[in-house]
């Protein structure tokens, strides 16, 4: 089966199984961006606790958060883990937002997709998955987010080689699917849910909605 057809089959089966997942959770684009940075190396429920702390403190505003003392910010985001490192990364991102776009998110979001991606990747502490999550979920830009679950699921079903690097895999997916923000959004959410529930390090293939299309190890 052609790779593009396989990706469509995978999407259809997962979409039928899970339904619309409404991901990424966040009341504002800025909250989504903060969440994308805080979710590095931790479970989402921990990020939610940190975001709730920031909301309660009235700090989910770019300039206010930037001006907050780092020691205070560290305590507020402590539930997300690696709180000192993540405070440093948040401050780096906020400094970028101030210096390049004067706190104006709409101005930032109107930037060319690939130029903005390069700018985000130049920020200390912002990697490809985090940058692409910001672009897709906060800026509504048509870019597909690659994570461990994406690689594992596609590899196990024979769609990609095990050594395919991030950019090559992203290009492959985006060439195989229509350029569509809601599609990319939902597809990534479906992959994450499948990875967490079924396609674990030790897979639960019997229960997986993809078991009918085969498992290749």
């Amino acid at each position: 089966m052609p790779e593009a057809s396989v990706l469509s089959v995978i999407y259809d089966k997962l979409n039928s199984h899970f339904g619309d997942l409404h991901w990424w959770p966040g009341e504002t684009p800025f909250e989504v961006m903060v969440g994308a940075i805080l979710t590095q190396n931790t479970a989402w429920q921990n990020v939610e606790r940190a975001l709730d702390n920031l909301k309660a403190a009235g700090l989910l505003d770019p300039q206010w958060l930037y001006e907050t003392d780092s020691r205070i910010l560290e305590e507020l985001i402590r539930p997300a883990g690696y709180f000192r490192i993540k405070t440093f990364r948040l401050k780096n991102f906020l400094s970028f937002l101030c210096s390049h776009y004067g706190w104006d998110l709409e101005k930032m979001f109107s930037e060319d997709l690939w130029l903005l991606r390069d700018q985000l990747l130049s920020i200390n502490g912002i990697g490809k998955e985090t940058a692409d999550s910001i672009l897709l979920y906060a800026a509504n830009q048509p870019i597909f987010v690659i994570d461990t679950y994406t690689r594992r699921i596609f590899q196990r079903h024979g769609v990609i080689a095990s050594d395919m690097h991030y950019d090559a895999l992203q290009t492959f997916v985006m060439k195989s699917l229509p350029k569509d923000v809601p599609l990319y959004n939902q597809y990534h959410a479906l992959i994450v849910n499948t990875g967490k529930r079924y396609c674990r390090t030790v897979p639960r293939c019997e229960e997986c909605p993809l078991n009918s299309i085969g498992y290749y190890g």
Side-chain angles (χ1 to χ4, degrees):
M1 186 184 296
E3 288 86 349
S5 299
V6 174
L7 292 186
S8 296
V9 169
I10 289 173
Y11 177 84
D12 290 341
K13 287 184 177 294
L14 295 181
N15 198 50
S16 296
H17 182 79
F18 289 106
D20 193 349
L21 294 171
H22 302 287
W23 186 259
W24 183 303
E27 296 176 4
T28 66
F30 182 65
E31 181 179 342
V32 171
M33 290 189 287
V34 173
I37 295 171
L38 293 181
T39 200
Q40 297 172 356
N41 302 304
T42 194
W44 181 253
Q45 59 263 34
N46 298 328
V47 177
E48 288 182 320
R49 292 168 57 203
L51 289 172
D52 286 343
N53 288 345
L54 294 175
K55 288 179 185 178
L59 291 177
L60 274 180
D61 171 90
Q63 188 169 354
W64 295 344
L65 195 60
Y66 180 68
E67 293 173 354
T68 298
D69 184 272
S70 292
R71 288 168 296 181
I72 295 173
L73 183 53
E74 286 172 5
E75 289 306 309
L76 292 171
I77 68 169
R78 182 182 285 268
Y82 302 98
F83 53 91
R84 291 191 179 91
I85 293 173
K86 291 180 181 180
T87 294
F88 174 74
R89 291 173 178 174
L90 280 170
K91 292 283 190 175
N92 286 343
F93 169 72
L94 293 167
S95 177
F96 159 81
L97 181 59
C98 175
S99 62
H100 283 71
Y101 297 104
W103 308 117
D104 189 338
L105 295 183
E106 290 302 318
K107 183 178 179 182
M108 179 177 126
F109 294 160
S110 67
E111 188 66 86
D112 173 79
L113 167 60
W114 298 106
L115 174 60
L116 180 54
R117 187 177 192 262
D118 285 343
Q119 290 178 339
L120 290 172
L121 291 175
S122 72
I123 302 170
N124 191 335
I126 303 295
K128 293 178 180 179
E129 184 179 344
T130 301
D132 292 341
S133 295
I134 289 172
L135 290 167
L136 175 63
Y137 293 110
N140 289 311
Q141 293 275 15
I143 192 164
F144 198 89
V145 179
I146 304 297
D147 60 12
T148 300
Y149 296 130
T150 311
R151 184 179 303 281
R152 180 186 298 164
I153 291 168
F154 289 169
Q155 180 186 336
R156 283 177 170 172
H157 290 282
V159 180
I160 64 167
S162 59
D163 59 350
M164 200 172 201
H165 60 78
Y166 189 105
D167 290 338
L169 177 51
Q170 183 181 66
T171 299
F172 162 73
V173 173
M174 291 176 63
K175 285 185 175 180
S176 302
L177 298 173
K179 182 183 277 189
D180 184 77
V181 170
L183 172 63
Y184 291 172
N185 183 316
Q186 173 70 354
Y187 207 148
H188 183 237
L190 293 169
I191 285 172
V192 170
N193 275 265
T194 303
K196 287 181 177 178
R197 299 189 190 189
Y198 307 111
C199 205
R200 302 175 178 179
T201 304
V202 178
R204 299 167 59 188
C205 298
E206 298 79 8
E207 306 166 37
C208 180
L210 299 178
N211 60 9
S212 63
I213 63 173
Y215 169 76
Y216 299 91

